[in-house]
């Protein structure tokens, strides 16, 4: 097209006033959350339900915002699983609070991309300080915190899976450098083919995935009878691999496994890693929030031996997704592994504050520290501790109800807000029990299976959960069990 053909058009787009929309949405959100208990926890829609409810194409002309509001119930809510309903007991909790929602609104308004310090100094600096606040709340050793004055510090990753991968990449670059110094004649491919990492067989699937993405071998080790990875098991595996010419470089210890919330023997594992110079990463995605209560810190004994530590405030600490807090003693291994420095991302202050783009996989990052700041200030540590303690107490209430019925048994000791239980009897009967429970539609649970034993998991997920809600869930489970056992007798 020639310059003459190109007719510049300066017509301004129509910009309706959306303030009323924002206000209406704020009211709707409060209404939704305050009355969430009354909604059916899992929708009864079928795949493909949504397409017929919306037009084939985007509208050419703007619609009134009231039309959008009117469609939220019809199109969206009819297909929403209500994760914040007290009847929702599946997976692990995902956090939700007004302070975090409001912070996300502000983050959306500022809408900066904080990949370097200069790209938005407050975005980086608030994150550095919030991770220090949070680290102190958890009782993490000073060597993890930026305020210690060294290179250490925290970063907000999107998810625990990313943190595990980032730590693996750091561990890989550290070991590659070490081995190259000892064996300058070995090629990168030689070394890579020898690297091996370890985790509990019960570790989250994201650990295995990190190995695949990072192009290294990861071995799942057999836990003990209480499903904890022990130091001896790890040491034996490492010794054998070294004898076979492999190079152990990375271990993930899980504090609070996904299936049944057990805790690896971190202190023992830490000793093994230290004695072999292996990077130890701690994945405390769910249970880490409980360490804000000093009485649970015994479960992270040995944390000072780790190189990196991660947990998800977005699971259990009232900070909406996504906010996965990660601390590194020596971020230089990550920064070096990811360092590409095009001219357009360079700035004069480089080196005096973190450029978080080097600490993570994507380049772009939202202003997520705002939601930590709002939640920590508006609840205060004491209220967050009360939240954790209450949810654990509710789990123990369910445990008591369950163990008082001799048809049921626990599969795992209850330590956090998760109860693993089953009907005494076969896997089939428990599969049928879960089918009935979820089929009745009043509450929602998911199962798990360990060593071929199928069990049900009841997680305390909603911050609205009260004792009466646990009684309702228990009654629902009991009636479903009555149905299953009755149908068995026929
Ligand atoms: N690690 C553990 C122990 C988990 O329980 C989970 C999820 O439940 C994850 C990792 C993955 O978390 P994310 O969704 O933040 O990647």
């Amino acid at each position: 097209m020639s310059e003459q053909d190109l007719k510049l058009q300066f017509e301004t787009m129509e910009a309706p006033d959306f303030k009323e929309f924002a206000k209406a949405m704020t009211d709707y959100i409060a209404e939704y959350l305050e009355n969430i208990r009354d909604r059916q926890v899992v929708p009864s829609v079928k795949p493909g339900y949504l397409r017929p409810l919306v037009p084939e194409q985007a509208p050419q002309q703007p619609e009134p915002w009231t039309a959008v509001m009117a469609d939220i119930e019809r199109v969206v809510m009819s297909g929403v699983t209500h994760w914040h309903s007290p009847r929702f007991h599946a997976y692990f909790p995902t956090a939700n609070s007004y302070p975090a929602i409001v912070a996300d609104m502000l983050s959306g308004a500022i809408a900066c991309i904080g990949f370097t310090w200069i790209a938005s100094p407050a975005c980086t600096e608030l994150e550095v300080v919030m991770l220090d606040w949070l680290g102190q709340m958890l009782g993490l050793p000073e060597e993890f915190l930026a305020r210690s004055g060294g290179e250490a510090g925290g970063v907000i990753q999107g998810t625990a899976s990313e943190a595990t991968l980032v730590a693996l990449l750091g561990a890989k670059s550290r070991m590659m450098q070490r081995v190259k110094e000892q064996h300058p004649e070995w090629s990168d491919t030689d070394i890579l083919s020898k690297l091996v990492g370890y985790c509990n067989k019960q570790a989250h699937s994201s650990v295995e995935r990190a190995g695949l993405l990072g192009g290294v071998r990861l071995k799942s080790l057999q836990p003990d009878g209480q499903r904890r990875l022990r130091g001896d098991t790890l040491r034996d595996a490492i010794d054998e691999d070294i004898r076979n010419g492999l190079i152990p470089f990375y271990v993930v210890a899980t504090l609070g496994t996904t299936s049944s919330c057990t805790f690896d023997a971190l202190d023992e594992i830490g000793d093994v890693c230290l004695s072999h110079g292996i990077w130890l990463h701690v994945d405390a995605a769910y249970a880490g929030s409980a360490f804000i209560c000093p009485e649970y810190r015994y479960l992270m004994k040995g944390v000072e031996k780790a190189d990196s530590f991660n947990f998800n405030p977005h699971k259990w600490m009232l900070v909406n997704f996504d906010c996965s807090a990660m601390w590194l003693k020596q971020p230089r291994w990550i920064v070096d592994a990811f360092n590409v420095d095009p001219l357009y991302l360079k700035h004069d202050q480089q080196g005096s504050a973190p450029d978080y783009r080097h600490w993570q996989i994507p380049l772009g990052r939202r202003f997520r520290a705002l939601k930590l700041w709002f939640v920590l200030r508006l609840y205060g540590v004491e209220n967050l501790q009360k939240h954790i303690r209450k949810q654990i107490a509710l789990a123990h209430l369910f445990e008591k109800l369950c163990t008082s019925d001799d048809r049921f048994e626990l599969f795992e000791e209850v330590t956090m807000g998760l109860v693993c239980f089953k009907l005494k009897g076969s896997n089939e009967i428990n599969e049928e029990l879960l089918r009935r429970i979820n089929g009745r539609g009043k509450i929602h649970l998911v199962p798990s299976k360990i060593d071929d034993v199928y069990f049900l998991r009841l997680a305390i997920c909603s911050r609205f959960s009260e004792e009466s809600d646990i009684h309702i869930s228990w009654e629902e489970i009991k009636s479903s069990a009555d149905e299953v056992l009755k149908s068995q007798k026929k």
Side-chain angles (χ1 to χ4, degrees):
M1 202 188 291
S2 77
E3 248 177 75
Q4 272 167 345
D5 294 338
L6 186 72
K7 190 160 158 264
L8 299 178
Q9 299 189 19
F10 292 104
E11 194 183 346
T12 306
M13 74 169 177
E14 262 178 61
D17 185 353
F18 291 126
K19 280 207 268 317
E20 289 305 315
F21 180 34
K23 283 185 198 155
M25 185 56 84
T26 312
D27 289 343
Y28 179 84
I29 289 170
E31 179 73 20
Y32 168 68
L33 285 173
E34 297 310 315
N35 297 301
I36 200 165
R37 196 179 262 102
D38 302 333
R39 293 188 182 251
Q40 183 180 314
V41 60
V42 177
S44 34
V45 292
K46 297 269 178 293
Y49 90 95
L50 193 141
R51 187 178 280 278
L53 301 182
V54 295
E56 276 294 313
Q57 283 162 358
Q60 286 299 324
Q61 303 301 323
E63 296 184 50
W65 64 261
T66 45
V68 175
M69 279 307 286
D71 273 351
I72 289 176
E73 284 295 324
R74 186 179 69 93
V75 179
V76 180
M77 287 301 173
S78 58
V80 165
T81 299
H82 300 288
W83 281 60
H84 301 284
S85 160
R87 313 276 171 266
F88 183 90
H89 297 296
Y91 320 110
F92 273 142
T94 189
N96 177 311
S97 71
Y98 293 122
I101 295 170
V102 172
D104 266 347
M105 284 166 61
L106 179 58
S107 167
I110 296 172
C112 63
I113 306 292
F115 39 63
T116 57
W117 178 85
I118 196 65
S120 199
C123 181
T124 297
E125 296 208 6
L126 190 62
E127 189 161 327
V128 173
V129 179
M130 283 309 100
L131 273 284
D132 269 1
W133 280 19
L134 196 54
Q136 292 172 81
M137 283 168 59
L138 258 62
L140 284 186
E142 284 287 313
E143 307 108 272
F144 281 109
L145 308 185
R147 68 183 211 140
S148 68
E151 62 169 308
V155 57
I156 302 177
Q157 304 283 357
T159 61
S161 314
E162 283 166 71
T164 305
L165 174 60
V166 164
L168 177 140
L169 296 174
K172 187 170 140 184
S173 72
R174 183 170 86 174
M175 190 55 85
M176 293 285 284
Q177 175 165 330
R178 238 185 245 164
V179 177
K180 272 186 198 165
E181 278 164 15
Q182 288 160 6
H183 299 280
E185 73 285 7
W186 288 2
S187 71
D188 281 7
T189 329
D190 285 339
I191 304 172
L192 271 176
S193 68
K194 294 182 203 301
L195 293 184
V196 54
Y198 308 87
C199 63
N200 186 337
K201 200 174 145 201
Q202 290 303 320
H204 190 260
S205 56
S206 54
V207 181
E208 185 186 345
R209 196 138 179 271
L212 294 172
L213 291 168
V216 289
R217 211 176 318 199
L218 260 188
K219 291 192 174 174
S220 304
L221 304 178
Q222 189 62 38
D224 70 4
Q226 292 165 304
R227 294 167 271 279
R228 325 170 61 207
L229 177 61
R230 304 299 300 264
D232 285 348
T233 311
L234 177 65
R235 184 176 286 110
D236 291 348
I238 288 172
D239 288 349
E240 189 185 338
D241 284 342
I242 292 174
R243 277 196 300 277
N244 290 328
L246 297 181
I247 306 171
F249 81 107
Y250 183 53
V251 172
V252 177
T254 309
L255 299 183
T257 55
T258 317
S259 274
S260 68
C261 203
T262 54
F263 292 76
D264 286 346
L266 181 61
D267 205 24
E268 298 173 10
I269 293 172
D271 286 337
V272 179
C273 290
L274 279 180
S275 67
H276 287 87
I278 296 173
W279 184 298
L280 173 57
H281 176 68
V282 178
D283 173 6
Y286 161 68
S289 295
F291 302 144
I292 63 170
C293 303
E295 67 271 28
Y296 294 110
R297 291 194 193 143
Y298 74 96
L299 293 164
M300 65 167 187
K301 186 166 181 282
V303 68
E304 68 286 355
K305 299 168 194 169
D307 294 279
S308 48
F309 181 94
N310 170 243
F311 89 103
N312 285 350
H314 73 225
K315 276 192 161 57
W316 203 15
M317 222 191 70
L318 301 182
V319 183
N320 281 57
F321 189 87
D322 51 348
C323 181
S324 185
M326 178 186 197
W327 289 266
L328 294 139
K329 279 188 185 159
Q330 294 184 313
R332 82 185 95 123
W333 297 109
I334 312 286
V335 171
D336 290 350
F338 300 153
N339 201 342
V340 281
D341 229 357
L343 187 60
Y344 50 81
L345 293 177
K346 284 188 198 293
H347 60 93
D348 293 344
Q349 311 299 330
Q350 258 172 235
S352 35
D355 280 338
Y356 275 132
R357 71 191 170 97
H358 296 307
W359 297 48
Q360 62 175 25
I361 292 164
L363 173 65
R365 58 200 332 272
R366 293 187 306 117
F367 199 162
R368 291 180 290 212
L370 280 173
K371 49 189 170 184
L372 264 178
W373 196 38
F374 283 19
V375 166
L376 299 186
R377 291 181 66 186
L378 296 176
Y379 282 101
V381 178
E382 282 185 12
N383 272 316
L384 295 171
Q385 289 171 330
K386 279 186 191 154
H387 167 68
I388 298 288
R389 288 179 181 134
K390 179 173 172 183
Q391 298 229 316
I392 295 177
L394 292 174
H396 284 297
L397 168 62
F398 182 81
E399 174 191 19
K400 209 171 113 209
L401 293 168
C402 195
T403 49
S404 65
D405 183 327
D406 64 9
R407 298 173 302 171
F408 286 89
E409 61 187 351
L410 292 182
F411 178 80
E412 194 72 82
E413 188 191 342
V414 179
T415 5
M416 299 279 130
L418 177 74
V419 186
C420 299
F421 68 101
K422 61 191 281 293
L423 272 173
K424 290 173 185 165
S426 66
N427 285 352
E428 290 69 32
I429 203 169
N430 281 288
E431 284 167 25
E432 179 55 24
L433 173 63
L434 187 69
R435 240 191 320 273
R436 295 252 175 176
I437 293 171
N438 286 339
R440 289 160 60 116
K442 259 185 132 178
I443 63 172
H444 187 54
L445 272 69
V446 293
S448 194
K449 200 183 225 182
I450 295 182
D451 296 334
D452 270 336
V453 180
Y454 180 99
F455 59 93
L456 283 65
R457 296 166 78 264
L458 181 133
I460 310 294
C461 290
S462 169
R463 74 180 156 87
F464 301 110
S465 285
E466 297 293 345
E467 287 171 59
S468 54
D469 294 304
I470 302 307
H471 284 282
I472 291 174
S473 295
W474 169 240
E475 286 304 319
E476 191 56 19
I477 291 167
K478 235 173 32 169
S479 328
S480 306
D482 291 343
E483 284 178 17
V484 171
L485 295 172
K486 216 183 281 166
S487 72
Q488 295 272 311
K489 280 194 189 128
K490 279 187 191 155

